[in-house]
Amino acid sequence: MGQGNIEAAFSVVPEGSVTTPKGFKAGGLHCGLKKTTRHDLGAIVCEVPATAAGVYTTNVFQAAPIQVTRESIGAGGVLRAVIVNSGNANACTGKQGDADAYEMRSGFAAAIGVAPEHVAVASTGVIGENLKMDRVRSGIAELPSKLADSYEAADDFCQAILTTDLVKKEVCVSVTVNGRTVHIAGASKGSGMIHPNMATMLGFVTTDAAIGSEALHSLLRQATDLTFNMITVDGDTSTNDMLVAMASGLAGNEELTAEHPDWAAFAAGLRYVCEVLAKAIARDGEGATKLVEVQVRGAVSDEAAKAIAKTVIGSSLVKSAVFGADANWGRIIAAVGRAGQPVNPETVDIRLGDIVTLQQSRPIGFDEDAALEYLKGDTVVIHVDLHMGSGAATAWGCDLTYDYVRINAAYRT
Amino acid sequence: MGQGNIEAAFSVVPEGSVTTPKGFKAGGLHCGLKKTTRHDLGAIVCEVPATAAGVYTTNVFQAAPIQVTRESIGAGGVLRAVIVNSGNANACTGKQGDADAYEMRSGFAAAIGVAPEHVAVASTGVIGENLKMDRVRSGIAELPSKLADSYEAADDFCQAILTTDLVKKEVCVSVTVNGRTVHIAGASKGSGMIHPNMATMLGFVTTDAAIGSEALHSLLRQATDLTFNMITVDGDTSTNDMLVAMASGLAGNEELTAEHPDWAAFAAGLRYVCEVLAKAIARDGEGATKLVEVQVRGAVSDEAAKAIAKTVIGSSLVKSAVFGADANWGRIIAAVGRAGQPVNPETVDIRLGDIVTLQQSRPIGFDEDAALEYLKGDTVVIHVDLHMGSGAATAWGCDLTYDYVRINAAYRT
């Protein structure tokens, strides 16, 4: 899971955002779905038909916009736009909810002059309430005039998708493909579980690479497994989680396939974009004061390492200990031991940053002051080495704090 | 999962404890493993060889006393005593830890004049530190003089097994077998995760029924699956979890087997004892202000219902909402939907006590004041009906509070 080789394959673009790749405009505005005056409706639009791919929540309860977006991308693997509202998830809203999601799609398609099946729809916010469609309609009418390829317009979009997130999340990288510069950018929102009732994760990736829909989907799926699927704030999965990618092809490269010499570089860039967005969601988890990274190695397989990393990052006891800057390796080893994966109880090493706390499953003396200092930092890396094989995985999460409880206990009362 | 028929099969014995069944004495004292003056060493002793059975933690890391107890019960299914210390879990303690657990066994066996393989050993407390054996030795020397069949002696035992538990946990029932009165009693400790680093669950059941070791093990296993295995405080599993049952046979009934006419009544009594002890652990979860019960019915199988009930009871979002007395059905349905079990997204009902909040997967108006009042109570029951089949299960847990975070963040620092 090392980053060394990957980072060499691409460069981060300072102040890059979803409008940096050629062909994309974005925008956002306040139409009245949020009680505050913050933006609550946004869109990304591509000036040409973009090849598209999506990955969706595995929750049995899937909100109406998930179905509509599946249908749009399923129709031909092509999108011209994605429209997103915050403030209302349009979930558990019955037939009216379905109708509203379809109307968002057809309404915005008409407003920008494209076919309805070329528009994806995403929603995040309160569940169980129908959308105030009069406000959505007036927002849709105004939105085309806000679209631009500027950094400011991209910022408006990034703001429009947030719920209780504290900060917007965006990243852009450039990769060289056939000697040409290709951009891959993304925006996301996460862990705002107060108002939406749960942690809806939305992610949007734009690129000007030429790549087919199926190839894009396969890379998006792989990147998601190693990034968005490896973060946890509290283990809950929303009815609205969605990640959509659009590729305009305007960079002019030869179409990317698995045989293309720059396939790996593009894949690395896409994965990096997803990783930055995923880590930003984890760091901005409700009430979080720090990012926690768990690196597992020496497992019998990558799958085993993944399961162990996710069990450790999801342990409330580990999360509380990190909040309290407590070098509590006992909670870490207990989580390792209950992950349901092969573990040799005699050969486990645990490090917090560079501080070794357990070697060959036995506690060893460590400098408590140094450990406290390390754990007080804004990023804590827990290393677990099982010494059994070459399986490795990394997971990300955050600490469990008073504010998490305050935010989630106080929501409606 | 109804209790009606079961309760008719037995009666609760007021002020009954582990010494109520014929043949058992108990006791406890302070030997110096806890920093306070609270009891930290205790034992239950049977005056005749008792048939015995045990169930143990599934954690890969199993503490030394687990191995020793397995060996004792495995030798012939017979115990004369169980000795328990709190304040130190004797886990991750290497060969010295093994030697110490064996010495606890042989030392106490010598002190009461029985064979070492007739003694079980249990420990709970800090992990990764070796036992202060000088203190254990002096405690073992004194303990036989403390043993008695009085309620006070049983109380000393119940106190000696606690760590950060706020209250002792004990129960006793009587069942009629062959026209004779049989007693089944139990004591447990749980969720004290501060000092022991994790939630060690210890349970001890005594009965004067005549029953073989294998039959007792089979009933204990069944009862555990429906009770101790259906509680969660925060999902963590300790290296030291253990449940041991001893049957003296002094009630004089014909040996209980699956063909015995009173087999079901005895099984119901045993299950009730385990359920009371398990619910007491859940209610006394760290920082908990209330007991939460999740009843799932209408699932495709009992196994599916179990998985769903445990996902709901384990959701940090649901637990926080209950703490905040927030009738947040959205979080409940989201947990139902991610449990990985068959769910029809159109047919789910959710009730909080008697207050219906979701019917056929659609929110329906309910009296918010009544819901608030109900959720402020000290027991909250969440009912989920999937309307798919006859699978049912009940799980228990507690709310997630500021105190949980405070307790678990502040432990070592």
Side-chain angles (χ1 to χ4, degrees), chain B residues 266-289:
Chain B
F266 182 81
L270 179 63
R271 176 174 155 188
Y272 178 81
V273 164
C274 291
E275 185 177 313
V276 169
L277 296 176
K279 285 163 78 168
I281 289 172
R283 185 186 290 280
D284 200 15
E286 280 183 343
T289 69

Side-chain angles (χ1 to χ4, degrees), chain B residues 1-355:
Chain B
M1 306 296 294
Q3 301 295 309
N5 292 332
I6 290 176
E7 276 173 12
F10 55 83
S11 311
V12 174
V13 179
E15 301 238 326
S17 192
V18 290
T19 54
T20 306
K22 289 193 188 87
F24 292 95
K25 292 180 179 173
L29 53 74
H30 174 76
C31 76
L33 299 175
K34 280 179 182 161
K35 284 172 189 158
T36 64
T37 57
R38 292 170 61 205
H39 286 0
D40 50 21
L41 191 71
I44 300 174
V45 174
C46 186
E47 66 185 43
V48 296
T51 54
V55 294
Y56 312 97
T57 182
T58 56
N59 200 299
V60 166
F61 299 95
Q62 303 203 338
I66 297 273
Q67 305 297 344
V68 171
T69 296
R70 263 185 206 283
E71 211 177 286
S72 287
I73 295 180
V78 170
L79 287 180
R80 287 293 299 277
V82 55
I83 181 165
V84 192
N85 76 273
S86 55
N88 185 315
N90 194 11
C92 295
T93 43
K95 294 201 187 312
Q96 186 60 49
D98 294 343
D100 292 344
Y102 280 111
E103 188 188 334
M104 276 180 73
R105 180 170 83 155
S106 59
F108 190 60
I112 59 171
V114 305
E117 65 269 26
H118 287 174
V119 175
V121 180
S123 299
T124 177
V126 182
I127 78 174
E129 290 180 17
N130 284 114
L131 276 167
K132 290 171 177 158
M133 284 305 290
D134 53 334
R135 299 182 186 188
V136 173
R137 281 181 205 114
S138 64
I140 284 176
E142 192 185 348
L143 194 51
S145 69
K146 303 285 187 184
L147 299 170
D149 61 5
S150 64
Y151 183 76
E152 291 67 30
D155 182 71
D156 284 339
F157 174 79
C158 290
Q159 299 292 347
I161 66 177
L162 301 184
T163 50
T164 53
D165 298 51
L166 299 178
V167 295
K168 66 169 179 167
K169 298 158 186 73
E170 64 185 350
V171 62
C172 181
V173 301
S174 67
V175 192
T176 302
V177 178
N178 297 131
R180 290 167 187 265
T181 298
V182 163
H183 287 102
I184 312 169
S188 69
K189 64 86 53 182
S191 62
M193 289 170 283
I194 305 170
H195 217 64
N197 281 9
M198 47 197 139
T200 293
M201 194 286 288
L202 296 180
F204 305 96
V205 171
T206 58
T207 177
D208 42 22
I211 182 171
S213 173
E214 280 183 28
L216 184 61
H217 184 261
S218 129
L219 289 182
L220 196 66
R221 183 81 257 169
Q222 282 173 35
T224 301
D225 279 346
L226 296 171
T227 58
F228 291 111
N229 285 348
M230 292 304 290
I231 59 171
T232 181
V233 172
D234 55 15
D236 280 84
T237 310
S238 137
T239 52
N240 289 55
D241 293 340
M242 184 192 297
L243 173 64
V244 170
M246 292 188 279
S248 71
L250 296 178
N253 59 288
E254 281 171 37
E255 185 172 316
L256 280 158
T257 65
E259 288 71 42
H260 193 292
D262 296 319
W263 173 256
F266 182 81
L270 179 63
R271 176 174 155 188
Y272 178 81
V273 164
C274 291
E275 185 177 313
V276 169
L277 296 176
K279 285 163 78 168
I281 289 172
R283 185 186 290 280
D284 200 15
E286 280 183 343
T289 69
K290 59 193 85 185
L291 175 71
V292 185
E293 177 171 312
V294 177
Q295 293 190 16
V296 175
R297 57 189 298 170
V300 295
S301 67
D302 288 351
E303 288 311 306
K306 267 188 198 176
I308 291 165
K310 291 183 85 164
T311 304
V312 174
I313 204 79
S315 161
S316 294
L317 286 175
V318 171
K319 289 155 66 84
S320 302
V322 171
F323 173 54
D326 176 7
N328 203 317
W329 56 266
R331 295 180 184 173
I332 298 168
I333 202 167
V336 170
R338 71 177 164 84
Q341 299 300 322
V343 172
N344 181 338
E346 307 297 331
T347 62
V348 180
D349 297 347
I350 293 176
R351 270 192 297 130
L352 304 171
D354 292 330
I355 300 162

Side-chain angles (χ1 to χ4, degrees), chain A residues 58-61 92-95 127-128 130 193-194 197-199 234-237 239 286 315-317 320-321 323-331 333-338 341 343-345 348 361-363 366 368 372 400-402 404-409 411-413, chain B residues 58-61 92-95 127-128 130 193-194 197-199 234-237 239 286 315-317 320-321 323-331 333-338 341 343-345 348 361-363 366 368 372 400-402 404-409 411-413:
Chain A
T58 55
N59 200 300
V60 166
F61 298 93
C92 296
T93 43
K95 295 201 186 310
I127 79 174
N130 284 115
M193 290 170 283
I194 304 170
N197 282 9
M198 47 196 141
D234 54 17
D236 281 84
T237 312
T239 53
E286 280 183 343
S315 161
S316 294
L317 287 175
S320 302
F323 173 55
D326 175 9
N328 203 316
W329 57 266
R331 295 181 184 173
I333 202 167
V336 169
R338 72 177 163 85
Q341 300 299 323
V343 172
N344 180 338
V348 180
S361 299
R362 295 300 311 280
F366 58 90
E368 291 270 3
L372 180 65
L400 175 61
T401 70
Y402 297 118
Y404 177 86
V405 177
R406 181 184 57 74
I407 292 167
N408 286 298
Y411 157 51
R412 289 171 19 126
T413 51
Chain B
T58 56
N59 200 299
V60 166
F61 299 95
C92 295
T93 43
K95 294 201 187 312
I127 78 174
N130 284 114
M193 289 170 283
I194 305 170
N197 281 9
M198 47 197 139
D234 55 15
D236 280 84
T237 310
T239 52
E286 280 183 343
S315 161
S316 294
L317 286 175
S320 302
F323 173 54
D326 176 7
N328 203 317
W329 56 266
R331 295 180 184 173
I333 202 167
V336 170
R338 71 177 164 84
Q341 299 300 322
V343 172
N344 181 338
V348 180
S361 300
R362 295 300 311 280
F366 58 89
E368 291 271 2
L372 181 64
L400 175 60
T401 70
Y402 297 119
Y404 177 88
V405 177
R406 181 185 56 74
I407 291 167
N408 285 298
Y411 158 51
R412 290 169 20 123
T413 49

Side-chain angles (χ1 to χ4, degrees), chain A residues 157-218:
Chain A
F157 174 78
C158 290
Q159 299 292 346
I161 64 177
L162 302 183
T163 51
T164 53
D165 298 52
L166 298 177
V167 296
K168 68 169 179 165
K169 298 157 186 72
E170 65 184 351
V171 62
C172 181
V173 301
S174 66
V175 191
T176 302
V177 178
N178 297 131
R180 291 165 188 267
T181 298
V182 163
H183 286 103
I184 312 170
S188 68
K189 63 85 55 183
S191 63
M193 290 170 283
I194 304 170
H195 217 63
N197 282 9
M198 47 196 141
T200 293
M201 194 287 287
L202 296 180
F204 304 96
V205 171
T206 58
T207 177
D208 42 21
I211 181 169
S213 172
E214 281 183 29
L216 185 60
H217 184 261
S218 128

